[in-house]
């Protein structure tokens, strides 16, 4: 659910932010995530942090449509902090100045894949693969690269597809960097979530047929039998909803931290870079 075009909304927002935040603001860093009673916390509507924090009674939750809207709210002191997953935070950190995360993390969520309603056996097969995959050097390398991700450069492990058997139709969110995305010059999508799917296909001799699309289309495609697997920031916090509607949800491929993000100075700025 993380789309690259959200960064454009941030840039447009920050163009208008220079000097407009409250001059009365003073930096009072949060030093204890266990003591957040009464904080106004911004989240993106229906993202994992929205689900994760929705039952908390000690905070006031403010929901926004885009990251840009949320940053404007933080800049104007309409909220005290934002809440995002750690990979989204690293994207923000790489492109912004005036923000910091609060340590330690609030908690963790897992990321997985959805499978079509008639793919129960494929889900079991994928889950069995995951148990063994998590014992391998390849998985250790996966965790290391994810931990070292700098918010800009995804290191592709270059997994050639060598399956010769049945075809699995995989839909991925093309703009969910760095979990699923299209890399210029490459024939197949890549990203952290795609790695496990490719290794699974090679292990079980499946051929993969990829479709790069958006989050909504890949869900609809699963329901209507166009795709077998969907991937791209699919969080285990949505598991009950997915299964209620008939989808199959795999075990978690990996876990990521949830962080509170606060500003360190009155005016937040964004480095446009190559965006």
């Amino acid at each position: 659910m993380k789309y690259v075009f959200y960064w454009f909304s941030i840039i447009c927002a920050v163009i208008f932010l220079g000097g407009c935040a409250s001059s009365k603001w003073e930096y009072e860093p949060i030093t204890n995530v266990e003591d957040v009673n009464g904080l106004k916390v911004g989240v993106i509507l229906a993202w994992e942090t929205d689900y994760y924090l929705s039952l908390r009674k000690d905070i006031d939750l403010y929901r926004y449509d885009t990251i840009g809207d949320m940053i404007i709210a933080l800049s104007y002191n309409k909220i005290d902090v934002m809440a995002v997953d750690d990979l989204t935070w690293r994207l923000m950190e790489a492109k912004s100045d005036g923000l910091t995360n609060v340590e330690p993390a609030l908690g963790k969520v897992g990321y997985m894949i959805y499978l079509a309603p008639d793919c129960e056996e494929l889900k079991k097969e994928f889950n069995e693969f995951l148990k063994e995959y998590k014992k391998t050097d390849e998985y250790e390398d996966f965790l290391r690269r994810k931990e070292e991700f700098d918010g800009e450069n995804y290191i592709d492990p270059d997994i050639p597809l060598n399956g010769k058997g049945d075809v699995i139709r995989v839909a991925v969110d093309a703009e969910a960097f760095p979990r699923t995305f299209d890399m210029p010059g490459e024939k197949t999508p890549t990203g952290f979530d795609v790695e496990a799917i490719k290794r699974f296909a090679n292990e079980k001799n499946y051929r993969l047929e990829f479709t790069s699309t958006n989050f909504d289309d890949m869900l609809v495609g699963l329901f209507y039998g166009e795709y077998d697997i969907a991937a791209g920031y699919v969080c285990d916090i949505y598991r009950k909803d997915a299964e209620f509607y008939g989808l199959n949800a795999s075990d978690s491929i990996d876990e990521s931290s949830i962080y509170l993000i606060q500003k360190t100075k009155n005016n937040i700025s964004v480095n446009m870079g190559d965006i």
Side-chain angles (χ1 to χ4, degrees), residues 161-176:
L161 298 176
N162 54 33
K164 305 296 183 182
D166 294 339
V167 172
I168 298 176
R169 300 162 300 170
V170 182
V172 300
D173 186 339
E175 296 182 320

Side-chain angles (χ1 to χ4, degrees), residues 136-154:
T136 65
D137 292 340
E138 287 83 0
Y139 188 73
E140 288 297 319
D141 177 67
F142 162 82
L143 293 178
R144 178 189 59 78
R145 286 182 289 105
K146 189 167 75 75
E147 180 66 26
E148 295 175 356
F149 176 63
D150 63 3
E152 296 181 299
N153 301 294
Y154 166 78

Side-chain angles (χ1 to χ4, degrees), residues 202-253:
N202 286 344
E203 176 74 20
K204 301 299 182 180
N205 197 36
Y206 286 117
R207 290 178 291 152
L208 296 180
E209 181 181 284
F210 282 102
T211 299
S212 295
T213 182
N214 58 58
F215 193 84
D216 291 339
D217 176 73
M218 67 186 196
L219 292 188
V220 173
L222 283 181
F223 281 116
Y224 284 95
E226 296 176 11
Y227 311 125
D228 302 307
I229 288 175
Y233 270 101
V234 177
C235 182
D236 64 359
I237 209 164
Y238 315 132
R239 179 186 299 277
K240 289 184 179 179
D241 289 347
E243 292 176 342
F244 176 81
Y245 287 105
L247 294 179
N248 286 291
S250 77
D251 293 341
S252 294
I253 298 170

Side-chain angles (χ1 to χ4, degrees), residues 119-191:
C119 288
E120 178 72 24
E121 290 303 315
L122 186 64
K123 180 191 76 171
K124 291 179 181 179
E125 196 173 10
F126 184 77
N127 286 344
E128 290 171 359
F129 159 79
L130 280 181
K131 290 179 183 178
E132 297 305 314
Y133 174 47
K134 291 180 179 180
K135 302 174 185 178
T136 65
D137 292 340
E138 287 83 0
Y139 188 73
E140 288 297 319
D141 177 67
F142 162 82
L143 293 178
R144 178 189 59 78
R145 286 182 289 105
K146 189 167 75 75
E147 180 66 26
E148 295 175 356
F149 176 63
D150 63 3
E152 296 181 299
N153 301 294
Y154 166 78
I155 300 175
D156 191 342
D158 189 21
I159 305 169
L161 298 176
N162 54 33
K164 305 296 183 182
D166 294 339
V167 172
I168 298 176
R169 300 162 300 170
V170 182
V172 300
D173 186 339
E175 296 182 320
F177 179 81
R179 289 200 169 268
T180 57
F181 64 100
D182 289 332
M183 184 175 288
E186 296 295 328
K187 294 181 179 179
T188 61
T190 190

